[in-house]
Amino acid sequence: RDPSRMNNTNLMKFCRDILIMDPMMAEKCITQADVSLIYTAVKKQTITSTHLQKANSAITTQVVMEKSDKLSFEEFISCLIKISFKCYPSSLNKEEAMQHLLMDNI
């Protein structure tokens, strides 16, 4: 077990713990499906960008990627930003949405 990495189940538990799935605790509550979709999108985005960076490199001709189903810290922050924007749709930008999430839920 690596405590510095988070899988989909742990992200779901985190979202329940900060009560963003509760309609009383956010402008718009999110569902488990929303969290899973955000998790998958962030993981897919990371794999795609890693693949592109390695493919553009002249050093390697064959791309070998480490496949992990767990979020790194950077990916976790990216998930939080996406979740915050979904929970606080009236925010003007992602930074404001993240601030709402941090102040109201975390």
Side-chain angles (χ1 to χ4, degrees):
R1 289 183 64 124
D2 184 4
S4 66
R5 314 261 306 166
M6 182 180 275
N7 62 18
N8 192 11
T9 304
N10 292 340
L11 181 63
M12 198 76 65
K13 287 178 187 177
F14 174 79
C15 290
R16 275 191 226 112
D17 288 345
I18 63 171
L19 302 173
I20 58 175
M21 294 181 174
D22 183 353
M24 301 299 288
M25 294 301 292
E27 284 179 22
K28 180 182 176 195
C29 67
I30 62 171
T31 64
Q32 289 183 355
D34 292 330
V35 175
S36 289
L37 287 172
I38 289 170
Y39 177 89
T40 303
V42 168
K43 286 305 293 177
K44 191 172 195 169
Q45 179 182 8
T46 303
I47 290 171
T48 302
S49 64
T50 303
H51 177 72
L52 289 174
Q53 288 172 358
K54 288 184 179 181
N56 289 335
S57 172
I59 299 170
T60 59
T61 55
Q62 184 179 17
V63 176
V64 178
M65 294 186 322
E66 176 185 329
K67 193 171 185 181
S68 173
D69 64 339
K70 295 186 176 185
L71 296 173
S72 66
F73 181 72
E74 293 80 14
E75 292 167 331
F76 171 68
I77 296 298
S78 182
C79 281
L80 275 186
I81 291 169
K82 290 177 184 288
I83 287 169
S84 68
F85 203 60
K86 190 148 184 94
C87 287
Y88 296 97
S90 68
S91 299
L92 299 175
N93 54 39
K94 291 180 181 183
E95 290 81 16
E96 186 180 326
M98 187 67 169
Q99 185 177 8
H100 277 288
L101 181 74
L102 292 173
M103 298 299 288
D104 295 347
N105 301 92
I106 297 180

